[in-house]
Amino acid sequence: MTSSVPVTMSATLAADQELERRRQAGERVLFLASGEIGLPVLGMLRERLAEAADRNAYGPVTGSAELRSAAAGYWSRRGLDTDPDDVVCGPGSKPLLFALLLAVGGTDVVVPAPSWVSYGAQARLAGARPLPVPIRPGEGGVPDPDALREAVVSARAAGRDPRCVVVTVPDNPTGTVASPETVRRLAAVARDLDLVVISDEIYCDLVFDPERPAVSPAVFAPERTVVTTGLTKNLALGGWRIGVARLPSGLLGGGLRERLVGVASQVWSSTAAPVQAAAASALREPPEVVAHMAAARRLHEKVVREVAGSFTATGVRLAPVRATCYLYPDFEPLGEGLSRVHGIGGGDGLAALFTDRYGVGVLSGTAFGEPGGSWRIRVATSRLYGDTDAERWAALSAPDPLSLPWIRASLDRVSEVLADLTAAFGGRP
């Protein structure tokens, strides 16, 4: 028997657990580490879930016909014509992504640098190794196409076998969106090098400007692109655990689907049937769902841009946020002062200082693949909307959510912490 795979607990979940422990102990804390969306459940979806509570049979491994048809319609409305037979359902997009890595195989998995904390960990769990490739400035989630070509060619020359590249459109951790031209070039490289593209598009409904939507690699390389999504981000249903994958049609997609379904049949058998029923209602996008997602998108944009302004006012570098609730500030311009005053030397020390001194949970860029000396941290604003459903509904409907007392208090706390962090060495307040 081989030794166990050295994979640690997800950095986002570990940070949340630590902050919750401190909150329970009576400490003042601010949750800016995890990407959980703190919004209430839409009433019609709650009702649909309850109505389907008596569905207790396993059901098809790939998901119910109702769900797969609804998912096909969801993607078709976004310009990706989809056959329901090419849709596979799973208990969250995270298990689906892992199962896809197992189904694709190979010795290496290309991931963007930086990238979501679980891509590299899942590659190692699948018996492969992550092959990080840097992004283009301001275009997170997609490896630079020229660097991708070079990395894959070099790996294969060394006897390795990279078979897929994972992308995030839009991106976590940076909150940015790769340009259509970069996505087109990535798809061309994937075709030239016979790579499968796994496109994690769980944030695609959280792009702020509807005139500039994220463009999927499946537009340019439909025969080799798998698209995954779920309801965790656009509808804040992370606890319901539902995800769907769109497999390419054709020979490559057919073989991949067969292997993916085989993995699913041995690991999760089927996704909870009541949740599938509620997800089908959501993916059909009736007016209530569309309005709810639009309200959530407006709220995310207002809050994350307000927090972004607090960070940029200190002099840190920060790419403009175009989607999601994430910021990825680079404190390198303040590094000398932070080292001298606080005795820290990079993002790890900075994240620890935010947590230990101020009770503000953030994640170091090293969790996303940055080198040890990087001064980047990841900030998530999605837990600032309130502690109760009443507060969260008020945040969704408020013309000016920034003026709500509980949101304003959190925003002011961010400003206070940044001011105190930089005051001793003349950082801009």
Side-chain angles (χ1 to χ4, degrees):
M1 178 180 292
T2 59
S3 60
S4 59
V5 179
V7 175
T8 59
M9 184 174 182
S10 164
T12 52
L13 300 181
D16 260 10
Q17 284 191 7
E18 172 59 16
L19 277 190
E20 180 59 25
R21 182 194 66 79
R22 295 178 63 162
R23 188 189 70 80
Q24 297 264 356
E27 298 181 37
R28 181 186 185 186
V29 298
L30 192 61
F31 289 85
L32 296 178
S34 111
E36 179 170 1
I37 308 296
L39 290 174
V41 179
L42 186 62
M44 64 157 290
L45 298 180
R46 185 189 298 111
E47 293 167 6
R48 183 64 178 127
L49 183 70
E51 291 168 358
D54 60 350
R55 297 189 183 184
N56 61 343
Y58 280 115
V61 174
T62 56
S64 70
E66 176 191 30
L67 174 63
R68 290 184 289 108
S69 177
Y74 170 91
W75 275 306
S76 295
R77 288 189 295 275
R78 285 155 179 78
L80 300 177
D81 289 341
T82 304
D83 189 317
D85 287 341
D86 292 329
V87 175
V88 175
C89 168
S93 62
K94 201 176 200 178
L96 275 172
L97 288 166
F98 179 57
L100 281 163
L101 296 184
L102 292 173
V104 172
T107 63
D108 301 74
V109 176
V110 180
V111 298
S115 62
W116 180 50
V117 298
S118 289
Y119 294 147
Q122 288 195 350
R124 288 186 285 271
L125 281 171
R129 70 177 184 184
L131 180 59
V133 175
I135 62 171
R136 293 172 55 83
E139 296 190 59
V142 175
D144 178 278
D146 294 333
L148 170 63
R149 184 185 297 276
E150 181 179 350
V152 172
V153 169
S154 296
R156 288 174 175 169
R160 307 293 297 175
D161 183 24
R163 299 184 190 176
C164 72
V165 53
V166 181
V167 303
T168 318
V169 187
D171 183 42
N172 170 14
T174 67
T176 61
V177 183
S179 70
E181 176 59 16
T182 295
V183 175
R184 183 196 66 77
R185 291 178 55 220
L186 172 119
V189 172
R191 183 176 287 119
D192 289 347
L193 300 180
D194 194 23
L195 294 171
V196 174
V197 181
I198 300 176
S199 187
D200 181 352
E201 300 183 13
I202 200 162
Y203 299 100
C204 80
D205 295 324
L206 298 184
V207 178
F208 302 146
D209 185 355
E211 300 301 317
R212 299 174 64 197
V215 177
S216 173
V219 171
F220 302 108
E223 80 287 357
R224 63 184 54 253
T225 300
V226 181
V227 180
T228 67
T229 191
L231 306 182
T232 297
K233 305 303 178 182
N234 59 358
L235 288 168
L237 297 175
W240 288 19
R241 306 316 303 144
I242 186 81
V244 283
R246 176 190 184 273
L247 281 294
S249 57
L251 187 62
L252 185 151
L256 184 56
R257 181 188 184 280
E258 182 178 358
R259 294 190 297 275
L260 175 62
V261 173
V263 172
S265 72
Q266 301 292 357
V267 177
W268 63 75
S269 298
S270 65
T271 304
V275 177
Q276 290 190 57
S281 294
L283 290 170
R284 283 193 287 268
E285 298 182 294
E288 304 98 311
V289 166
V290 173
H292 192 74
M293 288 195 298
R297 195 161 47 243
R298 289 192 297 268
L299 177 60
H300 293 321
E301 180 179 12
K302 286 180 179 294
V303 174
V304 77
R305 287 191 165 162
E306 182 74 5
V307 175
S310 296
F311 276 90
T312 56
T314 68
V316 305
R317 287 193 290 259
L318 180 63
V321 180
R322 285 189 52 208
T324 78
C325 49
Y326 300 125
L327 301 170
Y328 202 56
D330 185 356
F331 279 76
E332 191 275 333
L334 310 181
E336 189 277 330
L338 290 168
S339 297
R340 173 168 45 84
V341 173
H342 300 291
I344 57 176
D348 288 347
L350 185 59
L353 184 63
F354 267 98
T355 301
D356 297 340
R357 178 169 176 171
Y358 301 108
V360 176
V362 299
L363 291 180
S364 169
T366 57
F368 302 90
E370 297 281 3
S374 168
W375 282 96
R376 291 189 180 276
I377 61 172
R378 207 276 316 257
V379 177
T381 61
S382 52
R383 295 281 295 274
L384 303 184
Y385 307 142
D387 293 327
T388 67
D389 272 0
E391 289 180 345
R392 293 163 180 165
W393 280 119
L396 275 171
S397 60
D400 180 18
L402 306 183
S403 66
L404 295 173
W406 55 94
I407 294 181
R408 188 74 258 166
S410 295
L411 299 175
D412 290 345
R413 178 60 178 158
V414 171
S415 297
E416 291 167 5
V417 167
L418 291 171
D420 185 76
L421 183 73
T422 60
F425 57 89
R428 287 185 276 135

